[in-house]
Amino acid sequence: MPKKAARRQSMKHPLPPVPEIKTVLVIMAHPDDAEFCCGGTAKIFSAQGASVHYIVLTNGDKGNHNLSITVPQLVKTRMSEQRAAAAILGVRDVVFMGEEDGFLEPSRELRRRLVRHIRRLRPDLVICQYPEILFRGDSYINHPDHRNAGLATLEAVFPAAGNPMFFPDLLAEGLEPHNIKELWMCMAPEPNHRLDITAYFEIKIQALRQHASQFDDLDAMEGWVRERWAEEDEQGKQRFFEAFKRMHFAK
Ligand SMILES: [Zn+2]
C-alpha cells in the first residue's frame, strides 16, 4: 500500500473503547459551563461510581446586567449556584480558581495551578472546552474565556502534568507526574464521541436551573436546552446527547 494511503487509513482507524474511568476532572471557564457542556456526562460517571471533580477557572464576576448587585455578592451567589448544581450531578467537589471573568489567559501561573490539581487528583479523563472556536453560524461569538480555558487545560495536560521537569516545586511537594488516559472537549466542530444522556436529562435540567442568577427566564432557558440537545432516533423517539472531540492516549 502506498505510504500516503496507509497514513490516511491509520488516521481513520477508530479509537479504542473508552477505558475504565475512575476519576473525572471537568475544567471550565465559568460557573454554569459544565452543566451546559457535560452535565449529563458528569452524572453518568458519578452514577457509575466514578469520582467527578470540577475546576471553575473564573469567578463569573461579569455574569450580570443588574448593577444593583455588587461584585462580591454576585461572586458569592455564583459559587453557591455552582456548588448546588454540582451536588445534583454527584460531583464530589468544586475548586474555584478565582480568575477574573472575561480576561482569562493561559498564563504560566495558571498552567502551574492546573498541573497541581491534575497531579493531585490524578484523573483518567479530563473534560474541557474546545480551544479553537471563535464563532459559530451567523449570530454566535464564542466567549474568549471558553477558548482560553480549553487552551490552558491542553497546555497543562501536555506536556507539563506528565513531565517531572516541569514545575520542580510541585514534585518537591510530592505531586508526582501524571498522564491522563482520555481528553474530551465539548463545543467541538467535529465531535467524534457522543453520549446518550437521555436517562439523566431531567437531572441536567435541574442542575442548570440552579444558575438562577444567569437567566431572566428559567423556563425559556429550559425550553432552549431541550431543543438544542434533542435528537430523534431511528424510531422517531426523542433522545438527548452530549458530544465531544475525544482523544485517547495509549499507555
Ligand atoms: Zn461560559
Coordinates of all heavy atoms in Angstrom, one line a residue, residues 110-160:
L110 N -1.2 30.1 35.6 CA -2.4 29.2 35.6 C -2.1 27.8 35.2 O -2.7 26.9 35.8 CB -3.4 29.8 34.6 CG -4.8 29.1 34.5 CD1 -5.5 29.2 35.8 CD2 -5.6 29.7 33.4
R111 N -1.1 27.6 34.3 CA -0.7 26.3 34.0 C -0.2 25.5 35.2 O -0.5 24.4 35.5 CB 0.4 26.3 32.9 CG 0.5 24.9 32.2 CD 1.6 24.8 31.2 NE 1.6 25.8 30.2 CZ 2.5 25.9 29.2 NH1 3.4 24.9 29.1 NH2 2.5 26.8 28.3
R112 N 0.6 26.2 36.0 CA 1.2 25.6 37.2 C 0.1 25.2 38.2 O 0.1 24.1 38.7 CB 2.1 26.6 37.9 CG 3.1 25.9 38.9 CD 4.0 27.0 39.5 NE 3.3 27.8 40.4 CZ 3.1 27.5 41.7 NH1 3.6 26.3 42.2 NH2 2.4 28.2 42.5
R113 N -0.9 26.1 38.3 CA -2.0 25.8 39.2 C -2.9 24.6 38.7 O -3.3 23.8 39.5 CB -2.9 27.1 39.4 CG -2.2 28.2 40.0 CD -3.1 29.5 40.0 NE -4.1 29.3 41.0 CZ -5.3 30.1 40.9 NH1 -5.4 31.0 40.0 NH2 -6.2 29.9 41.8
L114 N -3.0 24.5 37.4 CA -3.8 23.4 36.9 C -3.0 22.1 37.0 O -3.6 21.1 37.3 CB -4.2 23.6 35.4 CG -5.4 24.6 35.2 CD1 -5.5 24.9 33.7 CD2 -6.6 24.0 35.7
V115 N -1.7 22.2 36.7 CA -0.9 21.0 36.9 C -0.9 20.5 38.3 O -1.0 19.2 38.6 CB 0.6 21.3 36.4 CG1 1.5 20.1 36.9 CG2 0.6 21.4 34.9
R116 N -0.9 21.4 39.3 CA -1.1 21.0 40.7 C -2.3 20.1 40.9 O -2.2 19.0 41.5 CB -1.1 22.2 41.6 CG -1.5 21.9 43.0 CD -1.7 23.2 43.8 NE -0.5 23.9 44.0 CZ 0.5 23.6 44.9 NH1 0.3 22.6 45.7 NH2 1.5 24.4 45.0
H117 N -3.4 20.6 40.4 CA -4.7 19.8 40.6 C -4.7 18.5 39.8 O -5.2 17.5 40.3 CB -5.9 20.7 40.3 CG -6.1 21.8 41.3 ND1 -6.5 21.5 42.6 CD2 -6.0 23.2 41.2 CE1 -6.6 22.7 43.2 NE2 -6.3 23.7 42.4
I118 N -4.2 18.5 38.6 CA -4.1 17.3 37.8 C -3.3 16.3 38.5 O -3.6 15.1 38.6 CB -3.6 17.6 36.4 CG1 -4.7 18.4 35.6 CG2 -3.4 16.3 35.6 CD1 -4.2 19.0 34.3
R119 N -2.1 16.7 39.0 CA -1.3 15.7 39.7 C -1.9 15.3 41.1 O -1.7 14.1 41.5 CB 0.1 16.3 39.9 CG 0.9 16.5 38.7 CD 2.3 16.9 38.9 NE 3.1 17.2 37.7 CZ 4.3 17.6 37.7 NH1 5.0 17.8 38.9 NH2 4.9 17.9 36.6
R120 N -2.6 16.2 41.7 CA -3.2 15.8 43.0 C -4.4 14.8 42.8 O -4.5 13.8 43.5 CB -3.8 17.1 43.6 CG -4.5 17.0 44.9 CD -4.9 18.3 45.5 NE -5.9 19.0 44.7 CZ -7.2 18.8 44.8 NH1 -7.7 17.9 45.6 NH2 -8.1 19.5 44.0
L121 N -5.3 15.1 41.8 CA -6.5 14.3 41.6 C -6.2 13.1 40.7 O -7.0 12.1 40.8 CB -7.6 15.2 41.0 CG -8.1 16.3 41.8 CD1 -8.9 17.3 41.0 CD2 -9.0 15.7 43.0
R122 N -5.2 13.1 39.9 CA -4.8 12.0 39.0 C -6.0 11.5 38.2 O -6.3 10.3 38.3 CB -4.1 10.9 39.8 CG -3.0 11.5 40.7 CD -2.1 10.5 41.4 NE -1.1 10.0 40.5 CZ 0.0 10.8 40.1 NH1 0.1 12.1 40.5 NH2 0.9 10.3 39.3
P123 N -6.7 12.3 37.4 CA -7.9 11.9 36.7 C -7.5 11.0 35.5 O -6.4 11.1 34.9 CB -8.4 13.2 36.1 CG -7.3 14.1 36.0 CD -6.4 13.8 37.2
D124 N -8.4 10.0 35.2 CA -8.3 9.2 34.0 C -8.8 10.0 32.8 O -8.2 9.9 31.7 CB -9.1 8.0 34.1 CG -8.8 7.2 35.3 OD1 -7.6 6.7 35.4 OD2 -9.7 7.0 36.2
L125 N -9.8 10.8 33.0 CA -10.4 11.6 32.0 C -10.5 13.1 32.4 O -10.9 13.4 33.5 CB -11.9 11.1 31.8 CG -12.8 12.0 31.0 CD1 -12.4 12.2 29.5 CD2 -14.3 11.4 31.1
V126 N -10.1 14.0 31.5 CA -10.3 15.4 31.7 C -11.3 15.9 30.6 O -11.2 15.5 29.4 CB -8.9 16.2 31.5 CG1 -9.2 17.7 31.4 CG2 -8.0 15.9 32.7
I127 N -12.3 16.7 31.0 CA -13.2 17.3 30.1 C -13.0 18.8 30.1 O -13.0 19.4 31.2 CB -14.7 16.9 30.5 CG1 -14.9 15.4 30.5 CG2 -15.7 17.6 29.5 CD1 -16.3 15.0 30.9
C128 N -12.9 19.4 28.9 CA -12.7 20.8 28.9 C -13.4 21.4 27.6 O -14.0 20.7 26.9 CB -11.2 21.1 28.8 SG -10.3 20.7 27.3
Q129 N -13.2 22.7 27.4 CA -13.8 23.4 26.3 C -12.8 23.3 25.1 O -11.6 23.4 25.3 CB -14.2 24.8 26.7 CG -15.4 24.8 27.6 CD -15.5 25.9 28.6 OE1 -14.5 26.3 29.3 NE2 -16.6 26.6 28.7
Y130 N -13.4 23.3 23.9 CA -12.6 23.2 22.7 C -12.0 24.6 22.5 O -12.6 25.6 22.6 CB -13.5 22.9 21.5 CG -12.8 22.5 20.3 CD1 -12.4 21.2 20.0 CD2 -12.6 23.5 19.3 CE1 -11.8 20.9 18.8 CE2 -12.0 23.1 18.1 CZ -11.6 21.8 17.9 OH -10.9 21.5 16.7
P131 N -10.6 24.6 22.3 CA -9.9 25.9 22.4 C -10.0 26.7 21.1 O -9.4 27.8 21.1 CB -8.5 25.5 22.7 CG -8.4 24.1 22.1 CD -9.7 23.5 22.2
E132 N -10.6 26.3 20.0 CA -10.4 27.0 18.8 C -11.7 27.6 18.1 O -11.6 27.9 17.0 CB -9.8 26.0 17.7 CG -8.3 25.8 18.0 CD -7.6 25.1 16.9 OE1 -8.2 24.2 16.3 OE2 -6.5 25.5 16.6
I133 N -12.7 27.6 18.9 CA -14.0 28.2 18.3 C -14.0 29.7 18.5 O -14.2 30.1 19.6 CB -15.2 27.5 18.9 CG1 -15.2 26.0 18.7 CG2 -16.5 28.2 18.4 CD1 -15.5 25.6 17.3
L134 N -13.9 30.4 17.4 CA -14.0 31.9 17.5 C -15.5 32.3 17.4 O -16.0 33.2 18.1 CB -13.3 32.6 16.4 CG -11.8 32.7 16.6 CD1 -11.1 33.2 15.3 CD2 -11.4 33.6 17.7
F135 N -16.2 31.7 16.5 CA -17.6 32.0 16.3 C -18.3 30.8 15.7 O -17.7 29.9 15.2 CB -17.8 33.2 15.5 CG -17.2 33.1 14.1 CD1 -17.9 32.6 13.1 CD2 -15.9 33.6 13.9 CE1 -17.3 32.4 11.8 CE2 -15.3 33.5 12.6 CZ -16.0 32.9 11.6
R136 N -19.7 30.9 15.7 CA -20.4 29.8 15.1 C -21.6 30.4 14.3 O -22.3 31.3 14.9 CB -21.0 28.9 16.2 CG -20.6 27.5 15.9 CD -21.2 26.6 16.9 NE -20.2 25.5 17.2 CZ -20.2 24.7 18.3 NH1 -21.1 25.0 19.2 NH2 -19.3 23.8 18.4
G137 N -21.9 30.0 13.1 CA -23.0 30.5 12.4 C -23.0 32.0 12.2 O -21.9 32.6 12.1
D138 N -24.2 32.5 12.2 CA -24.3 34.0 11.9 C -24.5 34.9 13.1 O -24.7 36.1 12.9 CB -25.5 34.2 10.9 CG -25.3 33.4 9.6 OD1 -24.1 33.3 9.1 OD2 -26.3 32.9 9.0
S139 N -24.6 34.2 14.2 CA -25.0 35.1 15.4 C -24.4 34.7 16.7 O -24.9 35.1 17.8 CB -26.6 35.1 15.5 OG -27.0 33.8 15.7
Y140 N -23.3 33.9 16.7 CA -22.8 33.5 18.0 C -21.2 33.7 18.0 O -20.5 33.1 17.2 CB -23.1 32.0 18.3 CG -22.4 31.5 19.5 CD1 -22.9 31.8 20.8 CD2 -21.3 30.7 19.4 CE1 -22.3 31.4 21.9 CE2 -20.7 30.2 20.6 CZ -21.2 30.5 21.8 OH -20.6 30.1 23.0
I141 N -20.8 34.6 18.8 CA -19.3 34.7 19.0 C -19.0 34.0 20.3 O -19.6 34.2 21.3 CB -18.9 36.2 19.1 CG1 -19.2 37.0 17.8 CG2 -17.4 36.3 19.5 CD1 -18.9 38.4 17.9
N142 N -18.0 33.1 20.2 CA -17.7 32.3 21.4 C -17.0 33.2 22.4 O -16.2 34.1 22.1 CB -16.8 31.2 21.0 CG -16.6 30.2 22.2 OD1 -17.4 30.1 23.1 ND2 -15.6 29.4 22.1
H143 N -17.3 33.0 23.7 CA -16.7 33.8 24.8 C -15.2 33.5 24.8 O -14.8 32.3 24.8 CB -17.3 33.4 26.1 CG -17.1 34.4 27.2 ND1 -15.8 34.6 27.7 CD2 -17.9 35.2 27.9 CE1 -15.9 35.5 28.6 NE2 -17.1 35.9 28.8
P144 N -14.3 34.6 24.9 CA -12.9 34.3 24.9 C -12.4 33.4 26.0 O -11.5 32.7 25.9 CB -12.3 35.7 25.0 CG -13.4 36.6 25.3 CD -14.7 36.0 24.9
D145 N -13.1 33.5 27.2 CA -12.7 32.6 28.3 C -12.9 31.2 28.0 O -12.1 30.3 28.5 CB -13.5 32.9 29.5 CG -13.2 34.3 30.2 OD1 -12.2 34.9 29.8 OD2 -14.0 34.7 31.0
H146 N -13.9 30.8 27.1 CA -14.1 29.4 26.8 C -12.9 28.9 26.0 O -12.4 27.8 26.2 CB -15.4 29.2 25.9 CG -16.6 29.6 26.7 ND1 -17.8 29.8 26.0 CD2 -16.9 29.8 28.0 CE1 -18.8 30.1 26.9 NE2 -18.2 30.1 28.1
R147 N -12.4 29.7 25.0 CA -11.3 29.3 24.2 C -10.0 29.2 25.1 O -9.3 28.2 25.1 CB -11.0 30.4 23.2 CG -11.9 30.3 22.0 CD -11.4 31.3 20.9 NE -11.8 32.7 21.2 CZ -10.9 33.7 21.3 NH1 -9.6 33.5 21.3 NH2 -11.4 34.9 21.6
N148 N -9.8 30.2 26.0 CA -8.6 30.2 26.8 C -8.7 29.1 27.9 O -7.6 28.6 28.3 CB -8.4 31.6 27.4 CG -7.8 32.5 26.3 OD1 -7.2 32.0 25.4 ND2 -8.1 33.8 26.4
A149 N -9.8 28.8 28.3 CA -10.0 27.7 29.3 C -9.5 26.4 28.7 O -8.8 25.6 29.3 CB -11.4 27.6 29.8
G150 N -10.0 26.2 27.4 CA -9.6 25.0 26.7 C -8.1 24.9 26.5 O -7.4 23.9 26.7
L151 N -7.5 26.1 26.1 CA -6.1 26.1 25.8 C -5.3 25.9 27.1 O -4.3 25.1 27.1 CB -5.8 27.5 25.2 CG -4.4 27.7 24.6 CD1 -4.1 26.6 23.5 CD2 -4.3 29.1 23.9
A152 N -5.7 26.6 28.1 CA -4.9 26.4 29.4 C -5.0 24.9 29.8 O -4.0 24.4 30.3 CB -5.6 27.3 30.5
T153 N -6.1 24.3 29.6 CA -6.2 22.9 30.0 C -5.3 22.0 29.2 O -4.6 21.1 29.7 CB -7.7 22.4 29.9 OG1 -8.5 23.3 30.7 CG2 -7.8 21.0 30.4
L154 N -5.3 22.2 27.9 CA -4.5 21.4 27.0 C -3.0 21.5 27.4 O -2.3 20.6 27.4 CB -4.7 21.8 25.5 CG -5.6 20.8 24.7 CD1 -7.1 20.9 25.2 CD2 -5.6 21.2 23.2
E155 N -2.6 22.8 27.6 CA -1.2 23.1 27.9 C -0.8 22.5 29.3 O 0.4 22.2 29.5 CB -1.0 24.6 27.9 CG -1.1 25.1 26.4 CD -0.9 26.6 26.3 OE1 -1.0 27.3 27.4 OE2 -0.8 27.1 25.2
A156 N -1.8 22.3 30.2 CA -1.5 21.7 31.5 C -1.4 20.2 31.4 O -0.5 19.6 31.9 CB -2.5 22.1 32.5
V157 N -2.3 19.7 30.6 CA -2.3 18.2 30.4 C -1.1 17.7 29.7 O -0.5 16.7 30.1 CB -3.6 17.8 29.6 CG1 -3.5 16.5 28.9 CG2 -4.9 17.9 30.4
F158 N -0.7 18.4 28.7 CA 0.5 18.0 27.9 C 1.4 19.2 27.6 O 0.8 20.2 27.0 CB 0.2 17.2 26.7 CG 1.4 16.8 25.9 CD1 2.0 15.6 26.3 CD2 1.9 17.5 24.9 CE1 3.2 15.2 25.6 CE2 3.0 17.1 24.2 CZ 3.7 16.0 24.6
P159 N 2.6 19.2 27.8 CA 3.4 18.1 28.4 C 3.6 18.3 30.0 O 4.1 17.4 30.6 CB 4.8 18.3 27.8 CG 4.9 19.7 27.5 CD 3.5 20.2 27.2
A160 N 3.1 19.4 30.6 CA 3.5 19.7 31.9 C 3.1 18.7 33.0 O 3.9 18.4 33.9 CB 3.0 21.1 32.3

